[in-house]
Amino acid sequence: MRPPLPLPSRLRTAAFSAGHSCVDVYQGAVAALVPFLVSERSYGYAAASGIVLAASLLSSVVQPLFGALTDRWPMPWLIPLATAAAGLGVALVGLDAGYAATLAAVALSGLGVAAYHPAAARLVRTVGGPGHGAMSWFALGGNIGFACAPLLVVGALALPGPAGWWLLAAPAALGVFLNRPPSAKRSAADGAASGPAPAASRRPRDDWRAFLRLSLVVVVRSVVFTGLSTFIALYVRERGGGETAGAVALFALFAGSAGGTLLGGRLAARWGRVTTVHRAYAAVVPAVAGILFLPLPLVYVCSALAATALYVPFSLQVTLGQDYLPTRMGTASGVTLGLTVSVGGLASPLIGAAADAASLRTALLPLAVLPLLAWALARRLPEPAEPDPAEPALTAARG
């Protein structure tokens, strides 16, 4: 059984988890600003959606590029810099210097988010060692930040004048402090304390075939979760539940995602990552079917269960990707945290078009079947060998 992480490593993991919240709040903040931009600046729906698209594409699609850069040149200083850019971009939206300037400000925030994730996930794995608990806490921090974004936006914009806009930058200021990278000397000491180093070790080769299969699994997961989070409130309202009932279903979905993120690390310690991942996708199928066919009160329960099952694999897929590409951990983090996740957003218009042509329930039916594809793909994933405990120290020393 792996010994617990030393106290300094646990404290750094907690700090990075909180710092992740401070960054991901800006992923949710851009979408939460849309009603304000439409009502106060007379932006049309197309213009407002263009702003959200710019932020989401930059924050997701560009992540593998930053991951490749951090693999080639470890840049721990990029983490606090990216945190500052994410907050500054959203704050600059308040200048109201025209649509182009607003688009540029949101793009700056998106670039900050994109630059942060691969470098931070790589460093969390370095500080947290070869286990899965550190990545689970890191992922949970991001979920919390994203969920709190609407509350932050509503509270900040209730203040008169520019004060509210600069208040939106407050999480970034805190995040810069929390996301300070440890020194190479301290990271090496933490890594050495995580376990004894053997006399000699070889890093395994990159397994691109397994990584591509894993990427397909992450794409399927993204399509299912994004489709549910986009349309579940509308679906509940369509079934006669009203706006409050739709909001409750969406809250249940987000609450389940937070629980699943922590549960994944615990289940992986018992079953192994690959077994946990494919069992989780098998559990998604009845949960999504329950959302579509069970009576309304049970929809809330099924929403929480579906999100829990979809988020159990979330952090495990990040560490699996890193272990499949041990010499390109930044690239693996950028793909599993960014590029493949963005595909879910691209699939949402297709679900909407199918709902317009038939019905919303018919359009959502594939979301109950797609997890079977993820289950089949995940069953064929190899369980990578555990990373050498000495590797985090060596990686940090090179950074």
Side-chain angles (χ1 to χ4, degrees):
M1 186 174 180
R2 185 180 294 112
L5 289 174
L7 181 59
S9 293
R10 294 201 299 270
L11 292 176
R12 290 301 301 168
T13 298
F16 272 111
S17 178
H20 193 192
S21 295
C22 294
V23 173
D24 273 14
V25 75
Y26 296 109
Q27 290 204 82
V30 174
L33 285 172
V34 168
F36 171 84
L37 297 175
V38 171
S39 62
E40 298 296 326
R41 298 187 183 177
S42 301
Y43 288 174
Y45 291 117
S49 63
I51 290 175
V52 176
L53 182 63
S56 62
L57 285 180
L58 281 170
S59 65
S60 298
V61 176
V62 184
Q63 281 193 41
L65 173 60
F66 282 105
L69 291 175
T70 59
D71 286 333
R72 189 172 181 86
W73 300 289
M75 299 178 287
W77 50 264
L78 182 62
I79 299 173
L81 180 64
T83 303
L88 180 63
V90 169
L92 289 176
V93 174
L95 295 179
D96 193 11
Y99 183 75
T102 299
L103 203 62
V106 168
L108 173 63
S109 180
L111 282 173
V113 171
Y116 169 82
H117 282 92
R122 183 176 183 270
L123 191 54
V124 166
R125 195 73 190 280
T126 297
V127 173
H132 324 300
M135 192 62 69
S136 296
W137 284 105
F138 178 72
L140 176 65
N143 294 342
I144 293 173
F146 188 87
C148 291
L151 300 177
L152 173 67
V153 170
V154 170
L157 297 188
L159 298 176
W165 289 99
W166 290 113
L167 180 60
L168 289 177
L174 176 60
V176 167
F177 174 77
L178 293 171
N179 286 320
R180 301 187 324 280
S183 65
K185 181 178 180 180
R186 184 172 62 191
S187 293
D190 291 349
S194 299
S201 63
R202 290 184 179 180
R203 299 179 68 185
R205 294 181 178 179
D206 293 334
D207 188 346
W208 283 101
R209 177 176 295 182
F211 182 75
L212 291 175
R213 187 182 298 276
L214 175 68
S215 298
L216 290 176
V217 173
V218 180
V219 166
V220 173
R221 179 208 163 275
S222 173
V223 170
V224 175
F225 185 78
T226 304
L228 288 175
S229 61
T230 302
F231 294 103
I232 191 170
L234 294 174
Y235 177 69
V236 169
R237 288 172 56 187
E238 188 178 274
R239 293 183 60 180
E243 292 187 4
T244 301
V248 171
L250 189 60
F251 173 78
L253 195 73
F254 289 153
S257 67
T261 302
L262 284 181
L263 184 61
R266 294 180 177 274
L267 293 178
R270 176 178 298 181
W271 295 336
R273 284 174 291 179
V274 171
T275 299
T276 300
V277 167
H278 73 69
R279 286 181 178 178
Y281 285 118
V284 173
V285 176
V288 176
I291 293 174
L292 298 178
F293 296 106
L294 290 181
L296 193 57
L298 294 178
V299 168
Y300 307 135
V301 177
C302 291
S303 297
L305 292 176
T308 299
L310 285 167
Y311 265 86
V312 160
F314 185 73
S315 63
L316 305 181
Q317 289 166 162
V318 178
T319 59
L320 278 171
Q322 292 172 335
D323 289 346
Y324 289 147
L325 303 183
T327 68
R328 295 175 174 85
M329 290 178 62
T331 300
S333 302
V335 172
T336 54
L337 284 171
L339 181 61
T340 49
V341 174
S342 68
V343 175
L346 299 178
S348 293
L350 299 178
I351 298 175
D356 289 335
S359 69
L360 189 52
R361 174 181 283 177
T362 301
L364 294 177
L365 278 175
L367 302 186
V369 180
L370 277 174
L372 290 176
L373 175 60
W375 170 80
L377 290 169
R379 280 177 58 86
R380 299 182 63 186
L381 290 172
E383 184 73 63
E386 290 288 354
D388 187 347
E391 185 60 31
L394 296 174
T395 304
R398 284 194 296 271

